Amino acid sequence: MPSRSIAAIIALVLSACAATPSDLGGGRWVDLTHDLAEDSIFWPTADGFRHPVASYGPTPGGWFYSSYDIQLSEHGGTHLDAPIHFAEKGQTAERIPLDRLIGPAAVIDVSAQSAADRDYRFTIKDVTGWEQTHGRLPDGAILLFHTGYSRFWPDRQAYMGTDERGPAAVAKLHFPGLSADLARFLVEQRNVAAVGLDTPSLDYGQSKDFIVHRILLGRDIPGFENVAGLDQLPPRGALIVALPVKIRGGSGGPLRIVARLPR
C-alpha cells in the first residue's frame, strides 16, 4: 500500500464527514478497547494478565507512591497482531507504518449471521453487500467486522465457546471469523490498511491452519482482535486511531483503539 501522511488520512476522513481540520476536536470519541485486568480473555494456551503491586502507600519522605508490574502475553485483551505473528519476514510491532493504524473505518455488521452460527465465516458477499450501499471499500480503510460478541466480555464460555485453559481447550473454541476466500479477496482485489473484529481471532474458533492470519499478515496487513464497542460505529465515516504498545521485535501487543465519529 502506498505510504500516506497522517495529515492526508485525516483530511480524507474529514472530507468524507463534511468537516474541516478545525473541527477535529469537536466530534465524539468512542473507546473501542476492553480494560486489561485479571479477568481479561486470553488464548487458552497463553499466560493471562497479572498486575502485581510493586509499591503502594506512604514513603519514608511522607508522600504517597504506587507502582505495579505488568505480566502478560502479547496476544490477549484488545490487541494487535503484527505481521510477523504469522509471517517470518513480516513487520514487527514497532515497524508497522502509522498509516496502517490510523485511517477511515469501514464497519460491516455480521452480528445476525454470527448469532445464528458461532462458527460463521465472513464471506466476500458480506463485503460486496456493504459496498452496494456504502460504496467500494476506500483504499487505506481499517476494515472492522461487528459480530456482537463484545457483549459477552469477559465471560470466556460465552465469548470463546469454552472457559477451559491449556492445549486441549483450543479444540473447543467456537466463535466467528473471516473465511479464507474473503482474506484472499481483500489482499488481491481491495487495498485495506488493517482488519479488526470483536472476537479473539481473525480466524474462526475451529480453524486448524490459521489461514486467514497467514494470508493477511503475509501481506503486512495487521490484525486487531478483541475490539470492543463496534455497535457504536456507523458503517462508514469514523476515523480510527489504533496505537499498540511499541514493542521492539514484538509479534503483537496491547492495543488502545478509539474512533472519532462524524457529527
Side-chain angles (χ1 to χ4, degrees), residues 130-154:
W130 183 93
E131 290 182 325
Q132 288 175 4
T133 301
H134 304 289
R136 184 183 172 95
L137 283 174
D139 288 349
I142 294 178
L143 177 59
L144 300 170
F145 290 95
H146 167 47
T147 70
Y149 275 47
S150 177
R151 71 186 186 277
F152 298 132
W153 189 277

Side-chain angles (χ1 to χ4, degrees), residues 51-190:
H51 194 211
V53 176
S55 298
Y56 190 96
T59 68
W63 59 84
F64 173 82
Y65 174 79
S66 67
S67 177
Y68 299 78
D69 294 328
I70 296 176
Q71 304 164 19
L72 74 164
S73 165
E74 291 176 325
H75 300 276
T78 304
H79 70 277
L80 163 79
D81 276 3
I84 200 172
H85 188 36
F86 274 84
E88 185 177 3
K89 304 297 183 182
Q91 295 164 340
T92 49
E94 85 282 8
R95 293 176 51 227
I96 298 174
L98 288 176
D99 60 10
R100 287 199 179 275
L101 304 173
I102 302 172
V107 184
I108 299 182
D109 187 344
V110 289
S111 58
Q113 303 95 309
S114 300
D117 180 5
R118 289 193 65 94
D119 297 322
Y120 183 66
R121 281 170 278 183
F122 319 148
T123 67
I124 296 172
K125 186 176 179 180
D126 290 325
V127 172
T128 57
W130 183 93
E131 290 182 325
Q132 288 175 4
T133 301
H134 304 289
R136 184 183 172 95
L137 283 174
D139 288 349
I142 294 178
L143 177 59
L144 300 170
F145 290 95
H146 167 47
T147 70
Y149 275 47
S150 177
R151 71 186 186 277
F152 298 132
W153 189 277
D155 184 333
R156 296 176 60 87
Q157 178 72 46
Y159 189 73
M160 304 182 78
T162 181
D163 59 4
E164 296 180 23
R165 302 299 300 271
V170 175
K172 301 178 182 181
L173 296 174
H174 290 277
F175 52 79
L178 282 73
S179 66
D181 286 345
L182 175 54
R184 293 189 186 97
F185 173 81
L186 293 175
V187 302
E188 295 171 0
Q189 300 189 44
R190 295 297 184 267

Side-chain angles (χ1 to χ4, degrees), residues 191-213:
N191 188 21
V192 298
V195 177
L197 75 178
D198 52 357
T199 74
S201 174
L202 297 172
D203 284 278
Y204 83 126
Q206 285 290 293
S207 176
K208 302 299 188 292
D209 57 8
F210 299 96
I211 186 61
V212 173
H213 280 84

